[in-house]
Structure formats: C-alpha cells, structure tokens
mmCIF file of all heavy atoms in Angstrom:
data_model
loop_
_atom_site.group_PDB
_atom_site.id
_atom_site.type_symbol
_atom_site.label_atom_id
_atom_site.label_comp_id
_atom_site.label_asym_id
_atom_site.label_seq_id
_atom_site.Cartn_x
_atom_site.Cartn_y
_atom_site.Cartn_z
ATOM 1 N N SER A 603 -2.098 -4.361 -1.407
ATOM 2 C CA SER A 603 -1.424 -5.242 -2.393
ATOM 3 C C SER A 603 0.071 -5.159 -2.263
ATOM 4 O O SER A 603 0.502 -4.126 -1.540
ATOM 5 C CB SER A 603 -1.894 -4.874 -3.776
ATOM 6 O OG SER A 603 -1.464 -3.516 -4.088
ATOM 7 N N GLY A 604 0.785 -5.959 -2.786
ATOM 8 C CA GLY A 604 2.267 -5.869 -2.850
ATOM 9 C C GLY A 604 3.028 -6.833 -2.049
ATOM 10 O O GLY A 604 4.197 -6.888 -2.061
ATOM 11 N N GLY A 605 2.267 -7.614 -1.097
ATOM 12 C CA GLY A 605 2.943 -8.570 -0.336
ATOM 13 C C GLY A 605 3.572 -9.783 -1.071
ATOM 14 O O GLY A 605 3.311 -9.973 -2.239
ATOM 15 N N GLY A 606 4.241 -10.583 -0.359
ATOM 16 C CA GLY A 606 4.849 -11.752 -0.983
ATOM 17 C C GLY A 606 5.994 -12.249 -0.130
ATOM 18 O O GLY A 606 6.257 -11.979 0.954
ATOM 19 N N LEU A 607 6.815 -13.178 -0.811
ATOM 20 C CA LEU A 607 7.967 -13.795 -0.198
ATOM 21 C C LEU A 607 9.159 -13.052 -0.685
ATOM 22 O O LEU A 607 9.369 -12.872 -1.910
ATOM 23 C CB LEU A 607 8.018 -15.343 -0.559
ATOM 24 C CG LEU A 607 9.209 -16.026 -0.074
ATOM 25 C CD1 LEU A 607 9.285 -16.202 1.418
ATOM 26 C CD2 LEU A 607 9.188 -17.492 -0.771
ATOM 27 N N VAL A 608 10.050 -12.677 0.292
ATOM 28 C CA VAL A 608 11.280 -11.943 -0.028
ATOM 29 C C VAL A 608 12.333 -12.446 0.861
ATOM 30 O O VAL A 608 12.199 -12.903 2.081
ATOM 31 C CB VAL A 608 11.044 -10.457 0.160
ATOM 32 C CG1 VAL A 608 10.659 -10.079 1.549
ATOM 33 C CG2 VAL A 608 12.190 -9.691 -0.285
ATOM 34 N N GLN A 609 13.574 -12.411 0.403
ATOM 35 C CA GLN A 609 14.751 -12.812 1.202
ATOM 36 C C GLN A 609 15.077 -11.736 2.219
ATOM 37 O O GLN A 609 14.861 -10.559 2.039
ATOM 38 C CB GLN A 609 15.931 -13.171 0.374
ATOM 39 C CG GLN A 609 15.722 -14.436 -0.495
ATOM 40 C CD GLN A 609 17.039 -14.786 -1.248
ATOM 41 O OE1 GLN A 609 17.833 -14.007 -1.581
ATOM 42 N NE2 GLN A 609 17.154 -16.131 -1.567
ATOM 43 N N SER A 610 15.691 -12.159 3.237
ATOM 44 C CA SER A 610 16.258 -11.242 4.236
ATOM 45 C C SER A 610 17.143 -10.305 3.556
ATOM 46 O O SER A 610 18.058 -10.668 2.787
ATOM 47 C CB SER A 610 17.089 -11.942 5.256
ATOM 48 O OG SER A 610 17.507 -11.169 6.287
ATOM 49 N N GLY A 611 17.051 -8.951 3.931
ATOM 50 C CA GLY A 611 17.768 -7.956 3.243
ATOM 51 C C GLY A 611 17.103 -7.294 2.084
ATOM 52 O O GLY A 611 17.594 -6.314 1.579
ATOM 53 N N GLY A 612 16.115 -7.882 1.596
ATOM 54 C CA GLY A 612 15.325 -7.457 0.412
ATOM 55 C C GLY A 612 14.427 -6.342 0.721
ATOM 56 O O GLY A 612 14.324 -5.825 1.775
ATOM 57 N N SER A 613 13.701 -5.940 -0.366
ATOM 58 C CA SER A 613 12.792 -4.844 -0.237
ATOM 59 C C SER A 613 11.383 -5.246 -0.866
ATOM 60 O O SER A 613 11.291 -6.059 -1.756
ATOM 61 C CB SER A 613 13.189 -3.633 -1.054
ATOM 62 O OG SER A 613 14.440 -3.178 -0.459
ATOM 63 N N VAL A 614 10.340 -4.605 -0.380
ATOM 64 C CA VAL A 614 8.988 -4.789 -0.882
ATOM 65 C C VAL A 614 8.350 -3.444 -0.634
ATOM 66 O O VAL A 614 8.446 -2.645 0.254
ATOM 67 C CB VAL A 614 8.212 -5.902 -0.101
ATOM 68 C CG1 VAL A 614 6.771 -5.927 -0.322
ATOM 69 C CG2 VAL A 614 8.799 -7.211 -0.420
ATOM 70 N N ARG A 615 7.395 -3.091 -1.631
ATOM 71 C CA ARG A 615 6.529 -1.930 -1.456
ATOM 72 C C ARG A 615 5.051 -2.366 -1.406
ATOM 73 O O ARG A 615 4.532 -3.000 -2.341
ATOM 74 C CB ARG A 615 6.734 -0.907 -2.658
ATOM 75 C CG ARG A 615 5.987 0.361 -2.277
ATOM 76 C CD ARG A 615 6.268 1.459 -3.355
ATOM 77 N NE ARG A 615 5.409 1.356 -4.448
ATOM 78 C CZ ARG A 615 5.094 2.413 -5.312
ATOM 79 N NH1 ARG A 615 5.544 3.602 -4.867
ATOM 80 N NH2 ARG A 615 4.249 2.206 -6.276
ATOM 81 N N LEU A 616 4.497 -2.054 -0.320
ATOM 82 C CA LEU A 616 3.056 -2.319 -0.218
ATOM 83 C C LEU A 616 2.264 -0.983 -0.614
ATOM 84 O O LEU A 616 2.662 0.102 -0.450
ATOM 85 C CB LEU A 616 2.662 -2.638 1.201
ATOM 86 C CG LEU A 616 3.431 -3.786 1.853
ATOM 87 C CD1 LEU A 616 2.893 -3.937 3.284
ATOM 88 C CD2 LEU A 616 3.303 -5.049 0.997
ATOM 89 N N SER A 617 1.056 -1.330 -1.198
ATOM 90 C CA SER A 617 0.200 -0.260 -1.576
ATOM 91 C C SER A 617 -1.198 -0.602 -0.932
ATOM 92 O O SER A 617 -1.559 -1.654 -0.631
ATOM 93 C CB SER A 617 -0.037 -0.305 -3.058
ATOM 94 O OG SER A 617 1.143 0.058 -3.791
ATOM 95 N N CYS A 618 -1.882 0.569 -0.704
ATOM 96 C CA CYS A 618 -3.228 0.467 -0.078
ATOM 97 C C CYS A 618 -4.062 1.438 -0.852
ATOM 98 O O CYS A 618 -3.959 2.670 -0.675
ATOM 99 C CB CYS A 618 -3.207 0.761 1.417
ATOM 100 S SG CYS A 618 -4.826 0.860 2.186
ATOM 101 N N ALA A 619 -4.991 0.867 -1.661
ATOM 102 C CA ALA A 619 -5.880 1.792 -2.417
ATOM 103 C C ALA A 619 -7.210 1.972 -1.702
ATOM 104 O O ALA A 619 -7.822 1.055 -1.258
ATOM 105 C CB ALA A 619 -6.078 1.182 -3.782
ATOM 106 N N ALA A 620 -7.656 3.295 -1.757
ATOM 107 C CA ALA A 620 -8.944 3.601 -0.970
ATOM 108 C C ALA A 620 -10.010 3.964 -1.945
ATOM 109 O O ALA A 620 -9.688 4.617 -2.920
ATOM 110 C CB ALA A 620 -8.598 4.647 0.026
ATOM 111 N N SER A 621 -11.217 3.589 -1.692
ATOM 112 C CA SER A 621 -12.302 4.075 -2.465
ATOM 113 C C SER A 621 -12.831 5.410 -2.000
ATOM 114 O O SER A 621 -12.370 5.917 -0.968
ATOM 115 C CB SER A 621 -13.501 3.088 -2.312
ATOM 116 O OG SER A 621 -13.963 3.082 -0.982
ATOM 117 N N GLY A 622 -13.608 6.067 -2.745
ATOM 118 C CA GLY A 622 -14.235 7.323 -2.370
ATOM 119 C C GLY A 622 -13.422 8.520 -2.809
ATOM 120 O O GLY A 622 -12.367 8.398 -3.307
ATOM 121 N N ARG A 623 -14.028 9.719 -2.539
ATOM 122 C CA ARG A 623 -13.501 10.986 -2.960
ATOM 123 C C ARG A 623 -12.834 11.709 -1.853
ATOM 124 O O ARG A 623 -12.329 12.849 -2.099
ATOM 125 C CB ARG A 623 -14.507 11.796 -3.617
ATOM 126 C CG ARG A 623 -15.178 11.216 -4.837
ATOM 127 C CD ARG A 623 -16.238 12.136 -5.459
ATOM 128 N NE ARG A 623 -16.796 11.452 -6.617
ATOM 129 C CZ ARG A 623 -17.792 12.100 -7.334
ATOM 130 N NH1 ARG A 623 -18.231 13.273 -7.038
ATOM 131 N NH2 ARG A 623 -18.276 11.445 -8.486
ATOM 132 N N THR A 624 -12.810 11.253 -0.645
ATOM 133 C CA THR A 624 -12.454 12.035 0.452
ATOM 134 C C THR A 624 -11.190 11.439 1.085
ATOM 135 O O THR A 624 -10.925 11.745 2.295
ATOM 136 C CB THR A 624 -13.530 12.154 1.513
ATOM 137 O OG1 THR A 624 -13.892 10.767 1.972
ATOM 138 C CG2 THR A 624 -14.773 12.894 0.962
ATOM 139 N N PHE A 625 -10.301 10.773 0.439
ATOM 140 C CA PHE A 625 -9.181 10.101 0.930
ATOM 141 C C PHE A 625 -8.240 11.124 1.688
ATOM 142 O O PHE A 625 -7.689 10.800 2.685
ATOM 143 C CB PHE A 625 -8.422 9.342 -0.198
ATOM 144 C CG PHE A 625 -7.191 8.807 0.233
ATOM 145 C CD1 PHE A 625 -7.170 7.575 0.942
ATOM 146 C CD2 PHE A 625 -5.955 9.340 -0.101
ATOM 147 C CE1 PHE A 625 -5.992 6.903 1.364
ATOM 148 C CE2 PHE A 625 -4.717 8.717 0.246
ATOM 149 C CZ PHE A 625 -4.771 7.570 0.959
ATOM 150 N N GLY A 626 -8.091 12.253 1.109
ATOM 151 C CA GLY A 626 -7.200 13.267 1.586
ATOM 152 C C GLY A 626 -7.511 13.769 2.995
ATOM 153 O O GLY A 626 -6.739 14.410 3.721
ATOM 154 N N VAL A 627 -8.781 13.445 3.624
ATOM 155 C CA VAL A 627 -9.170 13.922 4.972
ATOM 156 C C VAL A 627 -8.801 12.851 5.990
ATOM 157 O O VAL A 627 -8.900 13.140 7.224
ATOM 158 C CB VAL A 627 -10.573 14.330 4.972
ATOM 159 C CG1 VAL A 627 -10.941 15.347 3.943
ATOM 160 C CG2 VAL A 627 -11.525 13.134 4.880
ATOM 161 N N TYR A 628 -8.271 11.726 5.588
ATOM 162 C CA TYR A 628 -8.037 10.682 6.565
ATOM 163 C C TYR A 628 -6.561 10.528 6.818
ATOM 164 O O TYR A 628 -5.722 10.420 5.999
ATOM 165 C CB TYR A 628 -8.526 9.372 5.916
ATOM 166 C CG TYR A 628 -9.978 9.223 5.503
ATOM 167 C CD1 TYR A 628 -10.321 8.541 4.367
ATOM 168 C CD2 TYR A 628 -10.971 9.808 6.309
ATOM 169 C CE1 TYR A 628 -11.653 8.503 3.945
ATOM 170 C CE2 TYR A 628 -12.266 9.687 5.879
ATOM 171 C CZ TYR A 628 -12.676 9.136 4.694
ATOM 172 O OH TYR A 628 -13.989 9.062 4.302
#
C-alpha cells in the first residue's frame, strides 16, 4: 500500500504487510 501520484522531488512511503507469525525469519 501507499502508492500514488507524486510530483518530481516529492516523497512517498510504501508499506508491505505480511500475514502469518513467522515474518521475522524472511
């Protein structure tokens, strides 16, 4: 999530949420 339209020079933060309990091993 977090994408979109932004002007040159701007900033965006993308997020990626994972399911499950073992995220820390990946």
